[in-house]
Amino acid sequence: MLWNKCTYFFSQWYGVWITAPSITVLVILLRFVGLVQFWEWRTYDAYMRMRPLENPDNRIAIVGINEDDLRAIGQSIFPDAVYAKLLNKLKAMEPKVIALDIYRDVPVEPGHQELVEVFESTPNLVGIKKVVGDRQRDVIDAAPALEENNQSGANDLKVDSDKRIRRGYLLVTLENGENVWSFASHIALRYLENFDISLEKVDDEKFQLGKAVLKQFKANDGGYVRADAGGYLILLNYRGPTRHFETVSMMDILEDRVPPDWGSDRIILIGKVGQSSKDLFSTPYSSSLIRTLEPMSGVEVHANIISQLVSSAIDGRSMVKTWEEPFEWMWILFWSGIGAATTWKWRTTRGVSYFSIWKVITMFVAGGVLFASTYIAFLWNWWLPVVPAFLGMTTSAVAITAYIARTAQDIRKTFGRYLTDEVVATLLESPEGLKLGGERRKITILTSDLRGFTATSERLPPEEVVKILNFYLGYMADVITKYQGTIDEFMGDGILVLFGAPITREDDPTRAVACAIDMQLAMEPVNKQMKEWGLTPLEMGIGINTGEVVVGNIGSLKRTKYGIVGSQVNLTYRIESYTTGGQILISGTTLNEVGSIIQINGEKEVMPKGVKQPITIYDVGGLGGKYNLVLTKEEEIYLPLKEAISLHYVVLDGKNVGDCLNKGSLVKLSEKEAEIQGVNSGENIPPALINIKLNFVWDGKESEDVYGKVLEKKAENGNFYIRFTAKPPDVSAKLESLYKSLQN
C-alpha cells in the first residue's frame, strides 16, 4: 500500500524529480567552471552595502597622511625626522599599539638616527614589510630596527580578480614555506596581549582567539571557485565604507590639535589616505549598480582586519561563515525544487493564460523569499549561495515551462485531429473554456453526407471503408480549415461544421457557402483517387442553415463534448437530406445573410419533419464577391431504351424501408439519372425528393439493391425521374455499358 502511494506520488510529480536534480547538477557545473563567481561576488558586495552600518570601533584610530599634510611638509617623501616627531607625540598619549603603515627600509635624512632611536625605544610599535612577489622587484624589507625586535608584519593584501578586497591575511606563507604574521594580525595580537588573549591552534585549519574561532579560507568557500587560498586567509567582515574609523591628519597630531589623551589605550594606525598616495583599493563598498563609490585606503583595510580580529576575540563578533560544499549543493537543489515544483503545480490550474500569470507572481514571490532569506542570513554573517540558488530556481522553472509548452503543443496537435484549433484554444487558454454549459448564439451550420455510401460500404472490407473515409475526410477537413469552419463532429461519412462558434465573425454565412462550394469542387480530386483504386465515384450533398442555437460544453465532468443544441441543427439535417449528389441546399435565413453575391439555380418549398410551416430551400449554383466560386453541373442527356427493363421499388421512410412494393420499368437512362415508368402510369408516383430502393430484373434474376432519390423534374405519362445514389458494381457496369450502347 505504501509502495503504491509512493509510486503514485512520484508519477504525479515526475517532472520535478527529474528537473530539479538535473538543473542542480548543471548549476554546480557552471559554478565549478567559474561562470557564476562574478555575480556571486557582486551579490555579496550588495548585501554588504545594504546591511546596517556597525558602530565605529573606537579602539582603533587612524592618523591619515593627506594632501594638506603633503603641502605642509612641502615634499611627497617625508624625512625621517617628521616620523620621529609624529611617533614621539603619539607615544606620549600612551596608546596600546602604534602601527606605522609606511615603508622605512632606507634612511631619508634628516632625522634617520632619531627615528631609529624611536623604533628601538617603542616596544609597542609595529612596522611593515612586503613579502609577496618577486624578490628583486616587489619585496620590501622592514626597517632593520623593527625587524630585529620582531616588530614588523606583512602588509600584503589579497586582491580578487575583479580588483576588490574581500579577504585578509592572518599569516602569509613564503615560497620556502615560512609563515609570516600579517601586519593586521601582528597588531591585533599585540593589542590582545593586554587582555591575556593569545592565538591557540585548534587543528591545521582552525585557531582559537579569545571568543572567536578563526577558520582558514578554502578555495571554494562562499562564492569562490578554485581561488588562491595560499597562506592563512579569512573572509573580511567590514564594519563600513571608507572613513568609518576615526581619522585625523598628521598635522593635527604634530600641531597638537587633538586632546592629549586622544590616543590613550587605542590602536593608532599611521598611513596614507590621500588620492595622490596610490594606496587605494576597491572593496565591497567601492561601487554599486548605478554609481562608483570612493575606494578605501590600505590603512583603512588593515584597520578593518584588526577590528574584526579584536572585536571577535573580545566581544564575540561573528566572523563571516560559509557552508561546506555538500550543504551548498543541497541548498541549490532545494531552490531548484522550489522553481520546478511551483511551475509544475500551476501547470494544471485552469487555463494556460491564468497559469502563466500566477506562475510569474509565484516565481517573483519565491525569488523574493530567496533574496530575503539569504540577506537575513547575511545579517547573521552567513554567506549562502544566492546566484546559484536563484539560477537553479529560474532555470528549473524555465525548463518546466518549456516542457509544458512542448506538451501543450503536442496536446494541441493531438486534439487538433479531433477539434479545430479555435476550439482547442478556447478549451486550453480560456479559464472558462472547460466549464460545462453554453450560450445562445446565432451561427451558420453546415452538414454534408455522402449519397449512398452506407450501402456501398457494406460490400467493402472494413479496412477499405476506413481508407476511403480517411482520404475523403482529410480533403474536406483541409477545405473547412481554409474557410475557418469549426469541425464539430465526423459522423461516419457525414460532417457537422459550425461557422460562428466558438469565434463569431461577421461573414460566417458567406464563408459557409464558399466552403460548401469548395468542398463540392474538391470532390473531383477525391473521385480521381477513387477511380485509381478501382472504386465507385463518391457524391456528396450539403445543407446549410443559419439560426440561433445553444453552443458550449455538453456532457459531464468525466466526458464533455463541445457542440450545439437546438431545432436549427435538426432543420439543417433535414435540408441536407433533400440534396442529391453534388448539390448544395441552403435555407432562406442563410440566403438573406449572404445577400446578392450568391447565385441560385432554383428553389423549392418543402415541409420537413418537426417544422410547422413549409419552408423554402435554395439550390446554390455559385458565389460572387472575393470568392468567385461556381459549381459546374453537367447536363443529363436521357436516352430511351429499346426495351424497357423491369424493376420493382419501395419508398424509404427515413432509415426504414417501406412495405409497399411497387412495380415499374426503366425507360430512359442518363449517366447518373433515369426515368421510371410505373405499371399503372400516373398511379402511386413517389413524391419528389424522397429516397427509394430499386431492384432490376435481368434474365429473370433480381439485381442487388440500388438506391436513388426522386427528382422534381416533371415527366410525361405520369413517369418520374430519379438520381442514382448507390449502385452495386455489377449493376453500375451493366447500366454504364447500356448507356454507351445507346449513345452509339
Side-chain angles (χ1 to χ4, degrees), residues 445-449 491 495-497 541-544 569 572-573 576:
I445 309 160
L446 180 152
T447 63
S448 69
D449 190 48
M491 301 162 291
I495 309 173
L496 175 62
V497 186
I542 298 176
I544 302 176
V569 183
T572 309
Y573 282 117
E576 182 271 324

Side-chain angles (χ1 to χ4, degrees), residues 77-81 83 100 102-113 115-116 119 128-129 139-146:
I77 301 177
F78 295 169
D80 289 348
Y83 290 115
L100 182 63
I102 305 291
Y103 292 114
R104 305 313 291 174
D105 56 322
V106 294
V108 181
E109 299 292 353
H112 176 64
Q113 189 56 42
L115 180 60
V116 171
F119 286 166
I128 61 169
K129 57 185 175 182
V139 172
I140 302 174
D141 294 327
L146 296 176

Side-chain angles (χ1 to χ4, degrees), residues 380-455:
W380 290 89
N381 296 304
W382 280 100
W383 184 8
L384 306 184
V386 182
V387 175
F390 181 76
L391 188 61
M393 181 180 69
T394 53
T395 307
S396 294
V398 169
I400 292 290
T401 303
Y403 170 77
I404 293 171
R406 176 63 183 271
T407 304
Q409 185 179 8
D410 292 341
I411 290 172
R412 286 174 182 270
K413 288 181 179 178
T414 301
F415 279 101
R417 297 171 63 186
Y418 300 92
L419 305 169
T420 64
D421 291 340
E422 290 174 348
V423 174
V424 174
T426 300
L427 296 179
L428 294 181
E429 297 177 6
S430 170
E432 291 79 25
L434 293 174
K435 288 183 179 179
L436 293 175
E439 60 174 321
R440 286 193 172 275
R441 188 184 297 184
K442 186 177 183 181
I443 68 170
T444 298
I445 309 160
L446 180 152
T447 63
S448 69
D449 190 48
L450 291 179
R451 302 273 73 88
F453 183 75
T454 302

Side-chain angles (χ1 to χ4, degrees), residues 15 69 100 207 339 463 472 621:
D69 295 330
L100 182 63
F207 284 100
E463 297 81 6
Y472 157 72

